[in-house]
Amino acid sequence: MNKTTDRSVSNELKMAPFELNIWLGCFILITGNISTFGNIIIFSSRAFRNRACTVYLLVEAIVLIFFFDLVLLTRTLQKGFRIPVLNRYDAICRLRYFASQYTNLIAISLFILATTDRYLSTQRSQALRKWSGRTSLAYKLVLACVIIWFVFGCHRLVLYSAATGYCIAQPGLYALLDNYLEAVISGLCPPVIIFVLSYLLMRSVRNTIQRQNLVLSNEPNKPAVNSTFLRKTDKQLTQMLFWQTLVAIPAFIPYTIQLIYSNVTENWSKSPEWVAWENVCVETIRLLSYTFFSTRLYITLISSRRLRREIFRIFRLRNGIQPTDVTLNTIDQTTAGGLITIKQQTNT
C-alpha cells in the first residue's frame, strides 16, 4: 500500500462522512419516524387490534421510537453535526450503545415472531394452527423478549465508557468479543432467519392455493371467488417479500462484513487516503443498517392494495367519516413488515 500524507486527502473526502450523517441520517430519521408512528396508528386501530400478530407489530413500532429517536438521533448529532453528546457524557454513551443493540434485537425478534405467527396460521395441521392467533401467548413472548435481550445486552451499561474522550467498549478481549457477537446476532442472523421464514410462508400460501384449486375442480358448482383472491394474495405476498428482501440485504449483510473487517484490519498500516475512504464506506453502511425498519410501512403500502384501502378507511374514521364496513370472513389480513397471509381453510 502506497504511503500518502494528510494533504493528499481532499477536503471533500474528509467532509463526506459528516455530510452523509447529516443528510442521509436526517432523511432516515424523518422517514423512520413517519413509518413508525404510521404503524402505531394502524396497529392500534379497531381493524387490527386484538390479534396476536398485531401485538408483536405494535410493540415493535413502540420500540422503534427509541431506536430512531435515541440511537439514530444521537448518531446524527455526533457523527453529522459534530455535537459530542456521546464522547462528553458517560451516561449517554452507555445508554446509547446499550439501546442500539437492545432495541434492534427486540424489534427484529418481534418481526420474526409476527411472521412465524402468520406461517403457523397457514398450516393444515390443527396442532400447529392452534399456536397462532393467541394474544395471551403473544404478550408472554413479548415480555420474554424484553427480559432476555435486556439480560443479554446489559453488559454495555457497565463496560462502555467515555472516560478516554471517546465512547468505546472496554479495550481488549471484551471489545473484540462484543464486536463479533454483534456481527453474528445483529448482522448475520436476521437476514438468514427472514429469508427462511419468507420461503416457508410463500410455500405454505402456494400449497393452500393448490389445495383450493383441487377442491374447486372436484366441486365445479362451487364459486371460484376464493381461488381468484388467493392468486391475488400470492402475487401481493411475492411483491412484499421481494421488496423486503431487497431492503434486508443492504441493511444487514454489509453491516456484518464491516464489523468483521474492522476487527481484522484494526492494527493494519493504512494510508490517510485509505482511511478516509474507509470512513465513508463505514458511515454509509452504518446508516443503511437503519433502513430495514424505516421502510416497513412504505413497502407494505406499495405492495398491498387492500391494506392501502384499509389504512385510508382508518384515517377517514379518525376524521369522523363513517366508512362502509369491510367483511373479511375467510381472510385474516395482517402485516408482518409487509407480509399479508391468508387463513388456512380447515375443510380443504
Side-chain angles (χ1 to χ4, degrees):
M1 185 180 299
N2 296 328
K3 297 290 184 179
T4 59
T5 63
D6 289 334
R7 293 180 181 179
S8 65
V9 181
S10 66
N11 290 329
E12 290 79 6
L13 186 56
K14 292 180 182 179
M15 292 299 299
F18 300 106
E19 297 294 330
L20 277 170
N21 278 282
I22 291 175
W23 297 105
L24 183 57
C26 289
F27 176 76
I28 296 175
L29 182 63
I30 294 171
T31 56
N33 272 290
I34 294 174
S35 175
T36 298
F37 284 101
N39 281 329
I40 290 175
I41 293 173
I42 293 168
F43 297 135
S44 62
S45 67
R46 185 175 60 182
F48 290 97
R49 68 179 58 153
N50 297 325
R51 302 181 185 185
C53 182
T54 303
V55 171
Y56 299 127
L57 297 174
L58 179 58
V59 176
E60 179 203 17
I62 296 172
V63 169
L64 288 177
I65 295 176
F66 299 94
F67 183 68
F68 289 114
D69 295 329
L70 174 60
V71 179
L72 180 56
L73 178 60
T74 53
R75 178 181 186 82
T76 304
L77 294 175
Q78 175 87 21
K79 301 283 189 176
F81 295 97
R82 287 181 276 189
I83 302 174
V85 290
L86 301 179
N87 296 339
R88 181 180 297 175
Y89 304 103
D90 204 52
I92 297 179
C93 165
R94 293 174 176 177
L95 180 62
R96 192 269 177 189
Y97 275 92
F98 165 74
S100 174
Q101 184 181 70
Y102 185 54
T103 57
N104 183 282
L105 291 176
I106 290 180
I108 196 65
S109 298
L110 295 176
F111 171 79
I112 290 171
L113 286 172
T115 309
T116 303
D117 179 82
R118 294 301 84 207
Y119 170 69
L120 291 174
S121 72
T122 64
Q123 299 304 296
R124 296 188 67 182
S125 171
Q126 180 65 29
L128 292 176
R129 281 205 312 277
K130 73 177 183 178
W131 291 102
S132 68
R134 297 171 58 179
T135 55
S136 59
L137 177 62
Y139 285 117
K140 293 177 183 178
L141 291 176
V142 168
L143 181 60
C145 285
V146 171
I147 296 174
I148 290 172
W149 290 128
F150 178 84
V151 174
F152 176 82
C154 64
H155 56 84
R156 290 191 168 191
L157 291 171
V158 179
L159 297 176
Y160 269 74
S161 176
T164 61
Y166 295 95
C167 184
I168 57 174
Q170 181 176 320
L173 181 61
Y174 169 74
L176 186 66
L177 292 176
D178 183 65
N179 214 6
Y180 277 115
L181 191 62
E182 183 175 4
V184 175
I185 300 298
S186 300
L188 183 61
C189 290
V192 173
I193 297 174
I194 290 170
F195 176 80
V196 172
L197 285 176
S198 298
Y199 171 75
L200 293 174
L201 183 57
M202 178 70 71
R203 189 177 67 174
S204 180
V205 170
R206 290 183 175 175
N207 287 340
T208 301
I209 294 175
Q210 293 175 0
R211 289 192 294 271
Q212 186 75 6
N213 289 337
L214 182 62
V215 171
L216 291 174
S217 64
N218 293 331
E219 302 180 26
N221 295 328
K222 189 173 183 177
V225 175
N226 288 341
S227 178
T228 302
F229 181 82
L230 290 176
R231 290 193 182 93
K232 291 181 179 180
T233 301
D234 178 49
K235 182 179 179 181
Q236 290 182 1
L237 179 59
T238 302
Q239 293 174 348
M240 291 176 186
L241 292 176
F242 173 76
W243 286 108
Q244 196 71 67
T245 303
L246 285 184
V247 175
I249 290 175
F252 292 111
I253 301 301
Y255 181 66
T256 304
I257 296 172
Q258 181 267 313
L259 289 174
I260 297 174
Y261 169 82
S262 296
N263 274 333
V264 171
T265 66
E266 183 178 4
N267 297 319
W268 288 13
S269 177
K270 304 175 185 178
S271 70
E273 185 176 9
W274 179 271
V275 172
W277 279 109
E278 194 175 88
N279 289 336
V280 173
C281 293
V282 168
E283 296 305 320
T284 303
I285 290 171
R286 291 296 181 98
L287 289 170
L288 288 178
S289 67
Y290 292 89
T291 56
F292 178 78
F293 297 111
S294 67
T295 57
R296 297 275 301 284
L297 176 64
Y298 311 113
I299 290 176
T300 304
L301 291 176
I302 291 173
S303 306
S304 174
R305 180 181 302 174
R306 289 186 64 86
L307 185 59
R308 286 199 299 270
R309 290 202 297 264
E310 181 63 25
I311 290 174
F312 293 149
R313 189 183 73 87
I314 291 171
F315 280 99
R316 287 198 301 268
L317 186 62
R318 284 179 173 269
N319 291 329
I321 302 174
Q322 185 65 35
T324 58
D325 291 333
V326 179
T327 303
L328 300 175
N329 293 325
T330 60
I331 304 157
D332 181 16
Q333 179 177 317
T334 63
T335 57
L339 304 181
I340 291 184
T341 62
I342 53 176
K343 209 177 247 186
Q344 176 71 31
Q345 302 294 327
T346 57
N347 57 353
T348 57

